[in-house]
Amino acid sequence: MADEGKVASKARTLKSRFATTTKDNIGQLERLNIACFPSVYFAPAMYKNSFKDPPVDSDITRLICHHDLCVGAVSSRLFTDPEEDDASAKKKRKNNALDEEVTLKRVQISSLAVLHAYRGYGLARKLMQGVLDDVEKREDIHEAFLLVPDGDKDAAVFLEKFGFENQGLVQGNLAEKASQFTARSGDDNVPHNLWSRSFDPARHDGEAAKGKAK
């Protein structure tokens, strides 16, 4: 993550707008991450395959632009793992309002970065809040998570403001899959903590029932 500890430190604001990530501009995300992370990051092939499996979700992966310049971005991916052994992460739930099953997914926030010259304007906060607002609107996502290097205090302060909790060192099947899409230092042995925020799977049931009743 880049910019997490310096959000909104300047009194002035910066005019910005969101831009959806597409096959045509995915290269901007790659260049941004190369500029912001002095580390090993996704291999170029990762970006070329970004719209395959597990796919980048255009609703929760976006660029933030100042005029026509891309100055920041958040990248997210959806994961559905039928072999996941976590009882709290049931893959299907019964929607009593619509009498149908909904496959639940996790969303991994794999990168969040802002160019150095544009930090301090709250752009990282705006990117994160935008992702969480979109996740909240969806009934198929029950959790947002990201992997953070152990001991990163700035990231911890930033994430706690958005309701994320440190679940400890990441391990198991999720660690293997998610680490493929996470910014890392040059040393792959650096431990990472799993930070997550849960969303109530039944949060939309009332709205669905009202819609069905009309």
Side-chain angles (χ1 to χ4, degrees), residues 41-101:
Y41 202 66
F42 304 155
M46 292 282 189
Y47 293 98
K48 294 179 181 180
N49 297 327
S50 288
F51 292 86
K52 294 183 180 180
D53 183 33
V56 161
D57 191 300
S58 59
D59 290 336
I60 49 182
T61 294
R62 61 184 61 178
L63 309 174
I64 194 165
C65 304
H66 175 54
H67 299 304
D68 292 328
L69 175 65
C70 172
V71 298
V74 59
S75 176
S76 307
R77 290 173 181 270
L78 293 176
F79 283 86
T80 302
D81 186 0
E83 298 178 1
E84 181 62 40
D85 212 10
D86 184 356
S88 66
K90 294 182 295 183
K91 293 299 167 283
K92 290 189 177 182
R93 70 175 177 85
K94 190 72 171 180
N95 185 326
N96 295 322
L98 297 179
D99 193 28
E100 64 182 15
E101 287 188 335

Side-chain angles (χ1 to χ4, degrees), residues 126-171:
K126 189 173 182 179
L127 284 164
M128 178 65 83
Q129 191 61 59
V131 168
L132 296 179
D133 287 346
D134 285 335
V135 168
E136 186 68 42
K137 297 173 185 176
R138 297 177 55 158
E139 65 172 6
D140 61 332
I141 299 175
H142 73 92
E143 183 182 69
F145 76 92
L146 63 166
L147 308 187
V148 178
D150 189 35
D152 190 334
K153 296 180 180 179
D154 287 339
V157 171
F158 179 77
L159 293 171
E160 286 173 350
K161 293 179 180 179
F162 292 94
F164 285 86
E165 296 182 353
N166 187 353
Q167 307 299 331
L169 293 178
V170 64
Q171 53 189 335

Side-chain angles (χ1 to χ4, degrees), residues 21-49:
T21 306
T22 67
K23 293 180 180 179
D24 296 325
N25 65 17
I26 192 68
Q28 294 188 53
L29 176 62
E30 179 180 11
R31 290 190 291 273
L32 182 81
N33 285 332
I34 290 173
C36 291
F37 293 103
S39 61
V40 177
Y41 202 66
F42 304 155
M46 292 282 189
Y47 293 98
K48 294 179 181 180
N49 297 327

Side-chain angles (χ1 to χ4, degrees), residues 2-10 112 114 119-126 158 161-162:
D3 188 31
E4 62 271 359
K6 302 179 181 179
V7 293
S9 63
K10 299 178 182 177
L112 174 63
V114 175
R119 296 176 187 175
Y121 292 101
L123 299 183
R125 181 187 58 199
K126 189 173 182 179
F158 179 77
K161 293 179 180 179
F162 292 94

